[in-house]
Amino acid sequence: MIIFGTKGYLHQLAILTLVCASCGNPAAHTLRKRVTKFTLFFVPLFPVSTKYATQCTFCGAEQKITEEQAEQLQAQAADGRTYGQPQQRPYR
């Protein structure tokens, strides 16, 4: 008998201050990476999918973004600057 499946991992990459596209409030947004891995006998072997998203801490709205946008936001957060996406503008 072979036991296989998937398991999800959620990583918080950065916290950015942006204006939320849903509620319009300037609030902290968490930049998250969700990785789903294939498991064999409960041992994670390799990633099946990777998705990135930002989540507003004020209203809880989540917006999916591309890997390139996530890398750009993460680099800007490391520099101390915060820039929004086309749907979100920075709060200064």
Side-chain angles (χ1 to χ4, degrees), residues 42-61:
F42 306 105
V43 176
L45 297 177
F46 56 89
V48 176
S49 73
T50 302
K51 298 178 183 178
Y52 296 89
T54 58
Q55 184 175 23
C56 177
T57 58
F58 188 80
C59 68

Side-chain angles (χ1 to χ4, degrees), residues 7-85:
K7 183 175 181 182
Y9 297 90
L10 188 63
H11 304 281
Q12 182 173 316
L13 302 176
I15 298 178
L16 306 158
T17 303
L18 302 168
V19 175
C20 182
S22 292
C23 65
N25 291 311
H29 284 68
T30 56
L31 176 61
R32 296 180 174 178
K33 176 182 177 180
R34 182 180 308 271
V35 180
T36 304
K37 293 188 176 184
F38 176 79
T39 61
L40 183 64
F41 294 106
F42 306 105
V43 176
L45 297 177
F46 56 89
V48 176
S49 73
T50 302
K51 298 178 183 178
Y52 296 89
T54 58
Q55 184 175 23
C56 177
T57 58
F58 188 80
C59 68
E62 185 172 293
Q63 184 175 14
K64 295 179 182 178
I65 60 173
T66 64
E67 182 178 359
E68 291 80 22
Q69 289 173 324
E71 289 173 359
Q72 181 184 22
L73 288 173
Q74 190 175 7
Q76 291 167 351
D79 291 342
R81 301 174 299 169
T82 56
Y83 291 96
Q85 307 156 30

